[in-house]
mmCIF file of all heavy atoms in Angstrom:
data_model
loop_
_atom_site.group_PDB
_atom_site.id
_atom_site.type_symbol
_atom_site.label_atom_id
_atom_site.label_comp_id
_atom_site.label_asym_id
_atom_site.label_seq_id
_atom_site.Cartn_x
_atom_site.Cartn_y
_atom_site.Cartn_z
ATOM 1 N N ALA A 209 -28.184 42.117 33.480
ATOM 2 C CA ALA A 209 -27.141 43.139 33.378
ATOM 3 C C ALA A 209 -27.244 44.085 34.606
ATOM 4 O O ALA A 209 -28.340 44.461 35.027
ATOM 5 C CB ALA A 209 -27.329 43.923 32.096
ATOM 6 N N GLY A 210 -26.103 44.399 35.107
ATOM 7 C CA GLY A 210 -26.060 45.292 36.284
ATOM 8 C C GLY A 210 -25.943 44.501 37.613
ATOM 9 O O GLY A 210 -25.731 45.014 38.671
ATOM 10 N N GLY A 211 -26.207 43.192 37.494
ATOM 11 C CA GLY A 211 -26.151 42.323 38.694
ATOM 12 C C GLY A 211 -24.769 41.907 39.122
ATOM 13 O O GLY A 211 -23.793 42.317 38.499
ATOM 14 N N SER A 212 -24.731 41.069 40.083
ATOM 15 C CA SER A 212 -23.481 40.602 40.614
ATOM 16 C C SER A 212 -23.463 39.048 40.792
ATOM 17 O O SER A 212 -24.476 38.431 40.983
ATOM 18 C CB SER A 212 -23.204 41.192 41.998
ATOM 19 O OG SER A 212 -23.102 42.612 41.921
ATOM 20 N N LEU A 213 -22.265 38.512 40.754
ATOM 21 C CA LEU A 213 -22.037 37.086 41.024
ATOM 22 C C LEU A 213 -20.688 37.014 41.654
ATOM 23 O O LEU A 213 -19.782 37.800 41.434
ATOM 24 C CB LEU A 213 -22.016 36.266 39.754
ATOM 25 C CG LEU A 213 -23.342 35.891 39.055
ATOM 26 C CD1 LEU A 213 -23.056 35.136 37.798
ATOM 27 C CD2 LEU A 213 -24.231 35.061 39.992
ATOM 28 N N ARG A 214 -20.558 35.961 42.523
ATOM 29 C CA ARG A 214 -19.214 35.676 43.101
ATOM 30 C C ARG A 214 -18.887 34.257 42.714
ATOM 31 O O ARG A 214 -19.563 33.309 43.090
ATOM 32 C CB ARG A 214 -19.219 35.882 44.617
ATOM 33 C CG ARG A 214 -17.755 35.747 45.127
ATOM 34 C CD ARG A 214 -17.610 36.006 46.628
ATOM 35 N NE ARG A 214 -17.994 34.851 47.461
ATOM 36 C CZ ARG A 214 -17.535 34.632 48.669
ATOM 37 N NH1 ARG A 214 -16.672 35.521 49.219
ATOM 38 N NH2 ARG A 214 -17.906 33.577 49.368
ATOM 39 N N LEU A 215 -17.783 34.075 41.995
ATOM 40 C CA LEU A 215 -17.224 32.830 41.664
ATOM 41 C C LEU A 215 -16.248 32.371 42.706
ATOM 42 O O LEU A 215 -15.524 33.186 43.271
ATOM 43 C CB LEU A 215 -16.557 32.849 40.322
ATOM 44 C CG LEU A 215 -17.356 33.389 39.147
ATOM 45 C CD1 LEU A 215 -16.569 33.255 37.853
ATOM 46 C CD2 LEU A 215 -18.693 32.674 38.965
ATOM 47 N N SER A 216 -16.267 31.063 43.000
ATOM 48 C CA SER A 216 -15.321 30.471 43.885
ATOM 49 C C SER A 216 -14.533 29.381 43.185
ATOM 50 O O SER A 216 -15.103 28.718 42.297
ATOM 51 C CB SER A 216 -16.017 29.893 45.105
ATOM 52 O OG SER A 216 -16.726 30.854 45.849
ATOM 53 N N CYS A 217 -13.282 29.186 43.532
ATOM 54 C CA CYS A 217 -12.464 28.099 43.035
ATOM 55 C C CYS A 217 -11.829 27.431 44.214
ATOM 56 O O CYS A 217 -10.963 28.035 44.823
ATOM 57 C CB CYS A 217 -11.494 28.621 42.031
ATOM 58 S SG CYS A 217 -10.286 27.430 41.415
ATOM 59 N N ALA A 218 -12.236 26.226 44.493
ATOM 60 C CA ALA A 218 -11.661 25.464 45.596
ATOM 61 C C ALA A 218 -10.556 24.583 45.058
ATOM 62 O O ALA A 218 -10.733 23.880 44.048
ATOM 63 C CB ALA A 218 -12.765 24.608 46.271
ATOM 64 N N ALA A 219 -9.416 24.608 45.751
ATOM 65 C CA ALA A 219 -8.251 23.886 45.325
ATOM 66 C C ALA A 219 -7.941 22.736 46.275
ATOM 67 O O ALA A 219 -8.062 22.902 47.490
ATOM 68 C CB ALA A 219 -7.040 24.806 45.174
ATOM 69 N N SER A 220 -7.567 21.603 45.751
ATOM 70 C CA SER A 220 -7.104 20.485 46.602
ATOM 71 C C SER A 220 -5.586 20.521 46.596
ATOM 72 O O SER A 220 -4.946 21.138 45.758
ATOM 73 C CB SER A 220 -7.595 19.197 46.069
ATOM 74 O OG SER A 220 -7.022 18.935 44.784
ATOM 75 N N GLY A 221 -4.969 19.862 47.553
ATOM 76 C CA GLY A 221 -3.510 19.807 47.618
ATOM 77 C C GLY A 221 -2.913 20.855 48.523
ATOM 78 O O GLY A 221 -3.593 21.826 48.840
ATOM 79 N N ARG A 222 -1.683 20.592 48.907
ATOM 80 C CA ARG A 222 -1.016 21.464 49.892
ATOM 81 C C ARG A 222 -0.239 22.587 49.216
ATOM 82 O O ARG A 222 0.436 23.345 49.959
ATOM 83 C CB ARG A 222 -0.105 20.610 50.758
ATOM 84 C CG ARG A 222 -0.886 19.621 51.683
ATOM 85 C CD ARG A 222 0.020 18.740 52.385
ATOM 86 N NE ARG A 222 0.645 17.780 51.549
ATOM 87 C CZ ARG A 222 1.519 16.838 51.966
ATOM 88 N NH1 ARG A 222 1.880 16.825 53.248
ATOM 89 N NH2 ARG A 222 1.995 15.991 51.131
ATOM 90 N N THR A 223 -0.316 22.665 47.946
ATOM 91 C CA THR A 223 0.485 23.689 47.229
ATOM 92 C C THR A 223 -0.241 24.955 46.915
ATOM 93 O O THR A 223 0.239 25.824 46.230
ATOM 94 C CB THR A 223 1.060 23.085 45.944
ATOM 95 O OG1 THR A 223 0.002 22.633 45.138
ATOM 96 C CG2 THR A 223 2.008 21.925 46.259
ATOM 97 N N PHE A 224 -1.509 25.086 47.346
ATOM 98 C CA PHE A 224 -2.294 26.233 46.965
ATOM 99 C C PHE A 224 -1.641 27.541 47.313
ATOM 100 O O PHE A 224 -1.574 28.479 46.498
ATOM 101 C CB PHE A 224 -3.676 26.163 47.648
ATOM 102 C CG PHE A 224 -4.535 27.336 47.290
ATOM 103 C CD1 PHE A 224 -5.217 27.443 46.126
ATOM 104 C CD2 PHE A 224 -4.727 28.358 48.244
ATOM 105 C CE1 PHE A 224 -5.970 28.517 45.805
ATOM 106 C CE2 PHE A 224 -5.535 29.420 47.984
ATOM 107 C CZ PHE A 224 -6.187 29.510 46.700
ATOM 108 N N SER A 225 -1.111 27.623 48.512
ATOM 109 C CA SER A 225 -0.532 28.912 48.975
ATOM 110 C C SER A 225 0.773 29.185 48.239
ATOM 111 O O SER A 225 1.242 30.343 48.291
ATOM 112 C CB SER A 225 -0.254 28.841 50.448
ATOM 113 O OG SER A 225 0.621 27.791 50.802
ATOM 114 N N SER A 226 1.289 28.236 47.499
ATOM 115 C CA SER A 226 2.512 28.484 46.708
ATOM 116 C C SER A 226 2.213 28.854 45.270
ATOM 117 O O SER A 226 3.118 29.134 44.510
ATOM 118 C CB SER A 226 3.353 27.181 46.628
ATOM 119 O OG SER A 226 3.754 26.800 47.995
ATOM 120 N N ALA A 227 0.939 28.899 44.920
ATOM 121 C CA ALA A 227 0.552 29.151 43.544
ATOM 122 C C ALA A 227 -0.068 30.531 43.364
ATOM 123 O O ALA A 227 -0.861 30.965 44.170
ATOM 124 C CB ALA A 227 -0.475 28.071 43.094
ATOM 125 N N ALA A 228 0.333 31.182 42.263
ATOM 126 C CA ALA A 228 -0.443 32.346 41.830
ATOM 127 C C ALA A 228 -1.708 31.762 41.176
ATOM 128 O O ALA A 228 -1.709 30.652 40.582
ATOM 129 C CB ALA A 228 0.358 33.142 40.791
ATOM 130 N N MET A 229 -2.798 32.494 41.290
ATOM 131 C CA MET A 229 -4.085 31.991 40.769
ATOM 132 C C MET A 229 -4.608 33.018 39.778
ATOM 133 O O MET A 229 -4.420 34.262 39.892
ATOM 134 C CB MET A 229 -5.068 31.869 41.877
ATOM 135 C CG MET A 229 -4.638 30.863 42.944
ATOM 136 S SD MET A 229 -4.502 29.177 42.306
ATOM 137 C CE MET A 229 -6.175 28.810 41.800
ATOM 138 N N GLY A 230 -5.281 32.506 38.741
ATOM 139 C CA GLY A 230 -5.847 33.358 37.785
ATOM 140 C C GLY A 230 -7.284 32.925 37.386
ATOM 141 O O GLY A 230 -7.639 31.737 37.579
ATOM 142 N N TRP A 231 -8.040 33.890 36.991
ATOM 143 C CA TRP A 231 -9.402 33.628 36.452
ATOM 144 C C TRP A 231 -9.338 33.970 34.943
ATOM 145 O O TRP A 231 -8.841 35.056 34.591
ATOM 146 C CB TRP A 231 -10.454 34.463 37.089
ATOM 147 C CG TRP A 231 -10.897 33.920 38.478
ATOM 148 C CD1 TRP A 231 -10.497 34.432 39.645
ATOM 149 C CD2 TRP A 231 -11.829 32.902 38.703
ATOM 150 N NE1 TRP A 231 -11.092 33.705 40.680
ATOM 151 C CE2 TRP A 231 -11.914 32.795 40.116
ATOM 152 C CE3 TRP A 231 -12.606 32.044 37.913
ATOM 153 C CZ2 TRP A 231 -12.713 31.790 40.725
ATOM 154 C CZ3 TRP A 231 -13.403 31.109 38.495
ATOM 155 C CH2 TRP A 231 -13.471 31.003 39.865
ATOM 156 N N PHE A 232 -9.813 33.063 34.158
ATOM 157 C CA PHE A 232 -9.881 33.266 32.708
ATOM 158 C C PHE A 232 -11.357 33.120 32.237
ATOM 159 O O PHE A 232 -12.188 32.603 32.983
ATOM 160 C CB PHE A 232 -9.011 32.211 31.959
ATOM 161 C CG PHE A 232 -7.570 32.324 32.139
ATOM 162 C CD1 PHE A 232 -6.979 31.983 33.372
ATOM 163 C CD2 PHE A 232 -6.761 32.821 31.140
ATOM 164 C CE1 PHE A 232 -5.598 32.113 33.581
ATOM 165 C CE2 PHE A 232 -5.410 32.977 31.349
ATOM 166 C CZ PHE A 232 -4.819 32.619 32.560
ATOM 167 N N ARG A 233 -11.637 33.561 31.059
ATOM 168 C CA ARG A 233 -12.923 33.317 30.480
ATOM 169 C C ARG A 233 -12.847 33.108 28.975
ATOM 170 O O ARG A 233 -11.896 33.559 28.352
ATOM 171 C CB ARG A 233 -13.863 34.477 30.766
ATOM 172 C CG ARG A 233 -13.507 35.778 30.090
ATOM 173 C CD ARG A 233 -14.461 36.869 30.561
ATOM 174 N NE ARG A 233 -14.102 38.227 29.945
ATOM 175 C CZ ARG A 233 -14.656 39.337 30.331
ATOM 176 N NH1 ARG A 233 -15.609 39.354 31.298
ATOM 177 N NH2 ARG A 233 -14.344 40.478 29.758
ATOM 178 N N GLN A 234 -13.846 32.359 28.497
ATOM 179 C CA GLN A 234 -13.892 32.085 27.027
ATOM 180 C C GLN A 234 -15.328 32.172 26.612
ATOM 181 O O GLN A 234 -16.153 31.403 27.067
ATOM 182 C CB GLN A 234 -13.269 30.722 26.708
ATOM 183 C CG GLN A 234 -13.205 30.516 25.193
ATOM 184 C CD GLN A 234 -12.324 29.323 24.847
ATOM 185 O OE1 GLN A 234 -12.004 28.459 25.639
ATOM 186 N NE2 GLN A 234 -11.834 29.309 23.610
ATOM 187 N N ALA A 235 -15.600 33.110 25.753
ATOM 188 C CA ALA A 235 -16.889 33.283 25.172
ATOM 189 C C ALA A 235 -16.992 32.477 23.879
ATOM 190 O O ALA A 235 -15.964 32.162 23.285
ATOM 191 C CB ALA A 235 -17.202 34.762 24.930
#
Side-chain angles (χ1 to χ4, degrees):
S212 298
L213 283 174
R214 188 176 82 154
L215 305 182
S216 299
C217 174
S220 65
R222 292 175 288 181
T223 57
F224 177 78
S225 61
S226 301
M229 300 297 295
W231 283 99
F232 291 74
R233 66 186 178 187
Q234 187 166 20

